[in-house]
Amino acid sequence: MIFVAGGTQDSRELVKFLLAKNFTILLSVTTTYAKELITPHPNLSINAHPLDAETLPAILKKYHISAFIDATHPYATVISELAINTCQKLTIPYIRYERACTAVMPKQPLLHYVNSYEEAATLASQLGKTIFITTGSRHLSAFQKYLPTHRLFLRIIPLLDSLQAALEAGFSPQNIIAMQGRFSKDFNLATYKMLNANVIVTKDSGHIGGTDTKIAAAEELNIPVVIIQRPPLSYPEIRFSFSEIAVFLERNNLC
């Protein structure tokens, strides 16, 4: 059985691809909402329990996992590091599925790359007074100190824990947009105009995360974009397509 750590749209698509090739999959998701999005299949089992240093090894042993595919979000470094260390201890092959970064053309003065949420918050506060944050509901504390002096708007997925995190970070309901993406360029254009945003903060979540349409809309309106770069991790094995994942599994007789 193959273990897939996922919860994202591309992880669900990867699972469908592998099921079509007759692999048996145990897919791990982090929310009830993510579980509801999964299409049942006779060769698919679901784990919706949190993974930590105790539960992950137990699950891998219980289901006799022959390979671990890490298809989590590019910024979910905690679970990736846990998976790498656990697989090394249990001598289970680990492979990372990495979605492509957003293609960025050279010489784009509106794009500002940073390495942390704190850097993003500081730079955004210097670039403008109305900041539209599209980095999710985590790490909002980095932006809290700018709430009294700037107009901060936030777009998050419409889940209770995300909304609670935003409210606890000091965002008022009138400054929170709770919607599920991916959002088109036109939708982002309308949103930026409605908010009179003059700075956008995002992560490089790739095409599937809508980073390209956020940037395209900002460029049309000449709005600077602060992009938090993906955290560097040393993956033992990494592939960038579903077919490469399947080839790796088949060549190593993993099922």
Side-chain angles (χ1 to χ4, degrees), residues 1-3 26 45-49 51 54-66 86 90 92:
M1 179 177 281
I2 307 298
F3 188 98
L26 173 59
S45 301
I46 306 294
N47 170 66
H49 300 291
L51 302 177
E54 292 184 4
T55 59
L56 181 56
I59 291 173
L60 298 183
K61 292 175 182 177
K62 176 182 178 180
Y63 289 92
H64 305 287
I65 298 300
S66 58
T86 303
L90 298 180
I92 294 174

Side-chain angles (χ1 to χ4, degrees), residues 77-243:
T77 56
V78 173
I79 184 60
S80 293
E81 290 174 341
L82 172 63
I84 292 170
N85 293 332
T86 303
C87 288
Q88 287 176 343
K89 291 177 182 178
L90 298 180
T91 63
I92 294 174
Y94 167 99
I95 182 169
R96 168 69 180 176
Y97 169 70
E98 184 77 342
R99 66 174 67 163
C101 294
T102 302
V104 176
M105 298 298 291
K107 297 182 180 179
Q108 295 194 58
L110 290 175
L111 305 185
H112 304 266
Y113 291 91
V114 296
N115 295 312
S116 70
Y117 292 87
E118 288 73 22
E119 285 184 56
T122 300
L123 180 56
S125 70
Q126 296 167 354
L127 292 171
K129 286 292 185 180
T130 303
I131 304 170
F132 185 38
I133 304 165
T134 66
T135 57
S137 60
R138 298 184 180 182
H139 308 287
L140 292 177
S141 59
F143 299 90
Q144 281 179 303
K145 63 181 177 181
Y146 301 106
L147 282 168
T149 57
H150 292 65
R151 296 176 67 234
L152 270 60
F153 294 91
L154 174 67
R155 187 165 68 195
I156 55 176
I157 58 175
L159 295 175
L160 288 177
D161 56 348
S162 297
L163 181 58
Q164 186 64 37
L167 294 173
E168 290 177 355
F171 288 82
S172 63
Q174 64 183 359
N175 287 39
I176 300 172
I177 300 173
M179 297 185 70
Q180 175 70 53
R182 181 180 191 268
F183 302 101
S184 68
K185 174 188 172 182
D186 287 341
F187 191 95
N188 285 321
L189 273 171
T191 304
Y192 299 169
K193 290 178 180 179
M194 178 185 69
L195 302 178
N196 291 317
N198 48 37
V199 187
I200 311 300
V201 181
T202 187
K203 298 183 291 189
D204 187 359
S205 298
H207 172 81
I208 202 164
T211 304
D212 55 337
T213 58
K214 296 177 192 176
I215 292 174
E219 287 180 330
E220 184 164 322
L221 297 175
N222 202 38
I223 299 174
V225 183
V226 178
I227 304 172
I228 303 171
Q229 298 186 97
R230 296 184 183 184
L233 274 184
S234 180
Y235 299 110
E237 293 281 349
I238 185 168
R239 300 292 187 277
F240 298 93
S241 71
F242 297 168
S243 58

Side-chain angles (χ1 to χ4, degrees), residues 2-16:
I2 307 298
F3 188 98
V4 178
T8 59
Q9 179 182 336
D10 42 359
S11 68
R12 294 191 297 274
E13 293 174 357
L14 171 60
V15 166
K16 288 176 64 176

